[in-house]
Amino acid sequence: MTFAQLPTVTVDAVPADGLLLDVREHDEWAAGHAEGALHIPMGEVVQRFGEVTERVGDRKLYVLCKVGGRSAQVTAYLVQQGMDAVNVDGGMLAWQAAGRPLTGTPEKPFVR
């Protein structure tokens, strides 16, 4: 699968009750995240794959990072494993810009 073939959606297409997987690092997560998202940093996804499958079941999984690069890689892996996963284009920067709800410490900007 090439990145051009990768299932991708815009932030606006993520349903309010969509199941989110945030693959950013711990400090990025602490700076603000989507409420209810499952947090597994990219480097831990393979070893924690069971947690992902347990939480997802047969639902679509929306994968986020800061801008979309890391989440694209994780989405490709999850799709190869047979999961219904899509990359959220623009990541948390687009999420914040769209005014989607955040929790954590949103006074810290995502851009460093």
Side-chain angles (χ1 to χ4, degrees):
M1 169 183 304
T2 67
F3 284 116
Q5 299 169 318
L6 189 70
T8 302
V9 297
T10 63
V11 167
D12 295 337
V14 177
D17 64 346
L19 182 57
L20 304 172
L21 172 62
D22 189 325
V23 298
R24 295 176 300 147
E25 295 300 319
H26 297 287
D27 61 330
E28 294 173 294
W29 169 266
H33 55 272
E35 189 168 349
L38 174 61
H39 177 230
I40 301 178
M42 180 181 170
E44 299 175 19
V45 169
V46 172
Q47 70 191 38
R48 296 175 61 187
F49 183 72
E51 287 178 57
V52 177
T53 59
E54 183 178 297
R55 177 103 178 253
V56 173
D58 61 354
R59 295 174 63 194
K60 183 180 295 285
L61 182 62
Y62 298 88
V63 187
L64 291 154
C65 66
K66 182 176 177 180
V67 295
R70 289 172 286 178
S71 57
Q73 293 176 55
V74 171
T75 299
Y77 169 76
L78 295 173
V79 168
Q80 288 172 349
Q81 304 310 307
M83 297 189 74
D84 186 7
V86 295
N87 185 41
V88 178
D89 190 39
M92 289 304 295
L93 290 178
W95 188 272
Q96 183 179 32
R100 298 294 295 258
L102 294 171
T103 189
T105 320
E107 67 274 3
K108 288 183 172 181
F110 292 121
V111 180
R112 292 185 179 94

